[in-house]
Amino acid sequence: MWQAEASIELGAIRANVARVCSGTSAEVMAVVKADGYGHGAVPVARAALEAGATRLGVATLSEALELRDAGVTAPVLAWLLAPGQPREQAVAADVDLSAASLTELAEVTAGAMTAGRTARLHLKIDTGLGRNGAQPRDWLELVEAAAKAEATGFVEVVGVWSHFACSDETEHPANDAQLERFHWALDVAATAGLRPSQRHMANSAAILTRPDSHFDVVRLGVAMYGLTPIPGRDFGLRPAMTVRARVALTKRVPAGHGVSYGLTYTAPAETTLALVPVGYFDGLPRAASNVGPVQLGGVRRTIAGRVAMDQFVVDCGDDDVHAGDTAILFGPGDDGEPTADDWAEVLHTINYEVLTSFGSQRRIPRVYR
């Protein structure tokens, strides 16, 4: 008998991917980093590929190798490797790599020579996000060096890419500025003799609102999991994850009884308290104390008192609630249960963090529907 679980609706993943594929002529790269945003990288990757995605994106080498070890053969791009990471393993496993500096380019080239095969490389330009990517003043030097590396036969520059900073704010002037800078970067790369077949910049928000940014490939992230990348906008996506737990204990307490550490909640009247065995070890932030929404007994309620390491409490008043009943933390909202967006609002964060916090915990097993 389960105690807590994250239920993953793979049909929702497929539907969301198909929805995006139908709206673009670009190839769709399904981003399954962070263990598929907590949904499970391998099952999500397979579902996305079945629905029309042709490529996969991850952050780290270990994430890419996990896909290969599971028998996933589709093209995979890994874009965040620290110095000294065994890039030869990536090349040997047919994993695309990214470079944003001469040092990274040299490491990819060396890895390819060690592996004895050609590395497929994506060069990243920083168009304004200020994270990874080469600065525009360094771009010409990088693309010229990459062209020389191509001449050795150990590197093939298959992609040039960048990332939006404000695509979830559709009217933000940075979006146009970044796109203009990306076009410039492509022109510089072409002047250096590079002919990348995979030009990509659009993330989920840009996929849905900026068709002029689609180029050859689009990178589908949070929208694949059914959450809107733009707060307040409905794009017809279906959330794939539902997190629920079974009530461990209920009891009646008198008016004035305190609840949990610090007694930050006091029962206003005689009431039934329900104990739910999920806590901050399981991804439920302590910041959800006294604000986190939960559906129990068909009624939406609020966490009472502080969230502990393993458990939280809900004040159920005089409702007929018992041990073994199901408390739903969030789901698609079909039956009035809270959604990941509801949690993001009360926690003053984004829905991405909600998914990854709950979905990758050891004590909340994933089950697939």
Side-chain angles (χ1 to χ4, degrees), residues 241-261:
M241 181 187 293
T242 297
V243 175
R244 59 182 188 159
R246 298 174 68 237
V247 173
L249 174 75
T250 62
K251 61 183 177 183
R252 296 289 288 179
V253 299
H257 202 293
V259 176
S260 196
Y261 292 123

Side-chain angles (χ1 to χ4, degrees), residues 123-128 133-144 160-162 176-192 194 196 199 201 215:
L123 298 176
K124 188 172 187 183
I125 173 74
D126 181 2
T127 55
Q135 277 287 291
R137 65 175 177 269
D138 301 320
W139 183 244
L140 177 60
E141 183 181 24
L142 178 60
V143 296
E144 289 180 339
V160 170
W161 69 299
S162 192
D176 287 338
Q178 283 194 259
L179 194 55
E180 180 179 351
R181 198 166 293 131
F182 188 62
H183 279 286
W184 168 85
L186 294 174
D187 290 341
V188 173
T191 300
L194 300 179
R199 302 165 300 166
M201 186 167 183
F215 296 97

